[in-house]
Coordinates of all heavy atoms in Angstrom, one line a residue:
Chain A
S30 N 30.6 148.9 176.6 CA 30.9 147.6 177.3 C 31.5 147.8 178.6 O 31.2 147.0 179.5 CB 32.0 146.8 176.3 OG 33.0 147.7 176.2
K65 N 12.3 124.3 197.8 CA 11.4 123.4 197.3 C 11.1 123.4 195.8 O 11.7 124.3 195.1 CB 9.9 123.8 197.9 CG 9.3 125.1 197.5 CD 8.2 125.5 198.3 CE 6.9 124.7 197.8 NZ 6.6 125.2 196.4
K68 N 5.0 123.8 193.0 CA 3.8 123.2 193.3 C 3.5 122.3 192.2 O 3.5 122.6 191.1 CB 2.7 124.2 193.5 CG 1.4 123.5 194.0 CD 0.4 124.6 194.2 CE -1.1 123.9 194.5 NZ -2.0 125.0 194.6
D72 N 11.3 116.2 192.6 CA 12.4 115.5 192.3 C 12.1 114.0 192.4 O 11.4 113.5 193.1 CB 13.6 115.9 193.1 CG 13.8 117.4 193.2 OD1 13.8 118.0 192.1 OD2 14.2 117.9 194.3
E75 N 17.7 108.7 193.1 CA 18.4 107.7 192.2 C 17.6 106.4 192.3 O 17.6 105.7 191.4 CB 19.9 107.6 192.5 CG 20.2 107.0 193.8 CD 20.0 107.8 195.1 OE1 19.4 108.9 195.0 OE2 20.5 107.5 196.2
V104 N 9.5 121.3 174.4 CA 8.7 121.2 175.5 C 7.5 122.3 175.5 O 6.6 122.2 176.1 CB 9.5 121.2 176.8 CG1 9.8 122.6 177.2 CG2 8.7 120.5 178.0
Q128 N 8.3 137.7 177.0 CA 9.5 138.4 177.1 C 10.0 138.8 175.8 O 11.2 139.0 175.4 CB 10.6 137.5 177.6 CG 10.3 137.0 179.1 CD 11.1 135.8 179.7 OE1 11.0 134.7 179.1 NE2 11.9 136.2 180.7
E131 N 7.7 135.4 170.2 CA 6.4 134.5 170.1 C 5.8 134.2 171.4 O 6.5 134.0 172.4 CB 6.8 133.2 169.4 CG 7.5 133.5 168.0 CD 8.4 132.2 167.5 OE1 8.8 131.5 168.4 OE2 8.4 132.0 166.3
R145 N 1.0 118.2 164.9 CA 1.5 119.3 164.4 C 2.8 118.8 163.7 O 3.0 119.3 162.5 CB 2.1 120.3 165.5 CG 2.4 121.7 165.1 CD 4.0 121.8 165.0 NE 4.5 121.3 166.2 CZ 5.8 120.9 166.2 NH1 6.4 120.5 165.1 NH2 6.4 120.4 167.3
Y154 N 5.7 111.5 156.1 CA 5.0 110.5 157.2 C 3.5 110.2 156.7 O 2.6 110.3 157.4 CB 5.1 111.2 158.5 CG 6.4 111.4 158.9 CD1 7.1 112.6 158.9 CD2 7.2 110.2 159.5 CE1 8.5 112.8 159.3 CE2 8.5 110.3 159.9 CZ 9.1 111.6 159.8 OH 10.4 111.7 160.2
K158 N 4.8 104.6 162.9 CA 4.4 104.1 164.2 C 5.4 104.8 165.1 O 6.6 104.5 165.0 CB 4.6 102.7 164.3 CG 3.7 101.7 163.6 CD 4.3 100.2 163.8 CE 3.2 99.3 163.3 NZ 3.9 98.0 163.3
R168 N -1.8 122.8 184.8 CA -1.9 123.7 186.0 C -3.1 123.1 186.8 O -4.0 123.9 187.0 CB -2.0 125.1 185.7 CG -0.8 125.7 185.0 CD -0.9 127.2 184.7 NE -1.3 128.0 185.9 CZ -2.5 128.4 186.2 NH1 -3.5 128.1 185.6 NH2 -2.8 129.1 187.3
E180 N 3.7 118.5 186.6 CA 4.6 118.0 185.7 C 4.7 116.4 185.7 O 4.8 115.9 186.8 CB 5.9 118.6 186.0 CG 7.1 118.0 185.1 CD 8.4 118.4 185.5 OE1 8.9 117.9 186.6 OE2 9.2 119.0 184.7
D193 N -6.3 99.7 155.9 CA -7.6 99.0 156.0 C -8.2 99.1 157.5 O -7.3 99.2 158.4 CB -7.5 97.7 155.4 CG -7.5 97.8 153.8 OD1 -8.0 98.7 153.3 OD2 -6.9 96.9 153.2
E200 N -3.8 96.5 166.6 CA -2.4 96.3 167.1 C -2.2 97.2 168.3 O -1.4 96.9 169.2 CB -1.5 96.6 166.0 CG 0.0 96.3 166.4 CD 1.0 96.2 165.3 OE1 0.7 95.9 164.1 OE2 2.2 96.2 165.6
D266 N -28.7 119.0 184.3 CA -28.0 120.1 183.7 C -27.9 120.0 182.2 O -27.9 121.0 181.5 CB -26.6 120.1 184.2 CG -26.5 120.3 185.7 OD1 -27.5 120.6 186.3 OD2 -25.4 120.0 186.3
E457 N 34.6 101.3 191.3 CA 34.8 102.4 192.2 C 35.9 102.2 193.2 O 36.2 100.9 193.5 CB 33.5 102.8 193.0 CG 32.5 103.5 192.2 CD 31.4 104.0 193.0 OE1 30.9 103.4 193.9 OE2 31.0 105.3 192.9
N462 N 42.9 109.4 200.8 CA 44.3 108.9 200.7 C 44.6 107.7 201.6 O 45.2 106.7 201.0 CB 45.2 110.0 201.1 CG 45.2 111.2 200.2 OD1 45.4 111.0 199.0 ND2 45.2 112.5 200.7
Chain B
S30 N -23.5 124.6 186.6 CA -23.0 123.6 185.7 C -23.5 123.7 184.4 O -22.9 123.5 183.3 CB -23.1 122.2 186.2 OG -24.4 122.0 186.5
K65 N 5.1 125.8 162.8 CA 6.6 125.7 163.0 C 6.6 125.5 164.6 O 5.8 125.5 165.3 CB 7.2 127.0 162.7 CG 6.5 128.3 163.4 CD 7.1 129.4 162.9 CE 8.5 129.8 163.4 NZ 8.6 130.1 164.9
K68 N 10.8 129.6 167.9 CA 12.1 130.0 167.6 C 13.2 129.4 168.5 O 13.1 129.3 169.7 CB 12.3 131.5 167.8 CG 13.6 132.2 167.2 CD 13.5 133.7 167.4 CE 14.9 134.3 167.1 NZ 14.8 135.7 167.3
D72 N 12.1 120.0 166.1 CA 11.7 118.6 166.2 C 12.9 117.8 165.8 O 13.9 118.2 165.2 CB 10.6 118.2 165.3 CG 9.3 118.9 165.6 OD1 9.1 119.1 166.8 OD2 8.6 119.3 164.7
E75 N 12.8 110.4 163.4 CA 13.1 109.1 164.1 C 14.6 108.7 163.7 O 15.2 108.2 164.5 CB 12.1 108.1 163.6 CG 12.3 107.7 162.1 CD 11.7 108.6 161.0 OE1 11.3 109.8 161.6 OE2 11.5 108.4 159.9
V104 N 11.4 120.5 185.1 CA 11.9 121.4 184.0 C 11.8 122.9 184.4 O 12.7 123.7 183.9 CB 11.2 121.2 182.7 CG1 9.8 121.9 182.6 CG2 11.9 121.5 181.4
Q128 N 0.3 133.0 186.3 CA -1.1 132.7 186.1 C -1.8 132.4 187.5 O -2.7 131.6 187.7 CB -1.2 131.4 185.2 CG -0.9 131.7 183.8 CD -0.7 130.5 182.9 OE1 0.3 129.6 183.1 NE2 -1.5 130.3 181.9
E131 N 3.0 130.4 192.3 CA 4.4 130.8 192.4 C 5.0 131.2 191.1 O 4.5 130.9 190.1 CB 5.1 129.5 192.9 CG 4.7 128.9 194.1 CD 5.1 127.3 194.2 OE1 5.0 126.7 193.2 OE2 5.1 126.9 195.2
R145 N 20.4 122.7 194.3 CA 19.1 122.9 195.1 C 18.6 121.5 195.7 O 18.2 121.3 196.8 CB 18.0 123.5 194.2 CG 16.8 124.0 194.9 CD 15.7 123.0 194.8 NE 15.4 122.5 193.6 CZ 15.1 121.2 193.3 NH1 14.9 120.4 194.2 NH2 14.8 120.8 192.0
Y154 N 22.8 113.0 201.0 CA 23.6 113.0 200.1 C 24.9 113.6 200.4 O 25.4 114.6 199.8 CB 23.0 113.8 198.9 CG 21.9 113.0 198.2 CD1 20.6 113.4 198.5 CD2 22.2 111.8 197.4 CE1 19.5 112.4 198.0 CE2 21.1 111.1 197.0 CZ 19.9 111.4 197.2 OH 18.8 110.6 196.7
K158 N 27.6 110.5 193.2 CA 28.0 110.6 191.8 C 26.8 110.6 190.9 O 26.1 109.6 190.9 CB 29.0 109.5 191.2 CG 30.3 109.4 191.9 CD 31.0 108.1 191.3 CE 32.5 108.1 191.8 NZ 33.1 106.7 191.6
R168 N 17.1 131.9 176.3 CA 16.6 132.8 175.4 C 17.6 133.6 174.6 O 17.7 134.8 174.5 CB 15.6 133.9 176.1 CG 14.4 133.3 176.7 CD 13.5 134.2 177.3 NE 13.0 135.3 176.3 CZ 13.5 136.6 176.2 NH1 14.5 136.9 177.0 NH2 13.1 137.4 175.3
E180 N 16.3 125.6 173.1 CA 16.1 124.3 173.9 C 17.1 123.4 173.5 O 17.3 123.1 172.3 CB 14.6 123.9 173.6 CG 14.5 122.4 174.2 CD 13.1 121.8 173.8 OE1 13.0 121.5 172.6 OE2 12.2 121.6 174.7
D193 N 39.4 113.7 199.9 CA 40.8 114.2 199.8 C 41.0 114.8 198.5 O 40.4 114.7 197.5 CB 41.7 113.0 200.1 CG 41.8 112.6 201.5 OD1 41.5 113.5 202.3 OD2 42.0 111.4 201.9
D266 N 38.6 148.4 178.2 CA 37.4 148.5 178.9 C 37.4 148.2 180.3 O 36.8 148.6 181.2 CB 36.3 147.6 178.3 CG 36.0 148.1 176.8 OD1 36.4 149.1 176.4 OD2 35.3 147.3 176.2
E457 N 6.6 93.0 162.0 CA 5.5 93.9 161.3 C 4.9 93.2 160.2 O 5.4 92.2 159.7 CB 6.1 95.2 160.9 CG 6.4 96.3 161.9 CD 6.7 97.7 161.3 OE1 7.4 97.6 160.3 OE2 6.0 98.7 161.7
N462 N -5.8 94.6 153.9 CA -6.5 93.3 153.6 C -5.8 92.4 152.6 O -5.5 91.1 152.7 CB -8.0 93.5 153.2 CG -8.6 93.9 154.5 OD1 -8.5 93.7 155.7 ND2 -9.5 95.1 154.2

Side-chain angles (χ1 to χ4, degrees):
Chain A
S30 57
K65 62 184 282 293
K68 185 176 175 186
D72 298 320
E75 72 282 8
V104 82
Q128 295 169 293
E131 302 156 334
R145 191 263 309 144
Y154 295 102
K158 286 178 182 170
R168 295 181 58 259
E180 175 187 62
D193 281 334
E200 185 165 343
D266 300 347
E457 280 191 313
N462 289 317
Chain B
S30 56
K65 62 185 283 290
K68 185 175 174 185
D72 297 321
E75 73 281 10
V104 83
Q128 295 169 290
E131 302 156 334
R145 192 264 310 143
Y154 294 102
K158 285 178 183 170
R168 295 182 57 261
E180 174 187 63
D193 282 334
D266 300 349
E457 280 191 312
N462 289 317

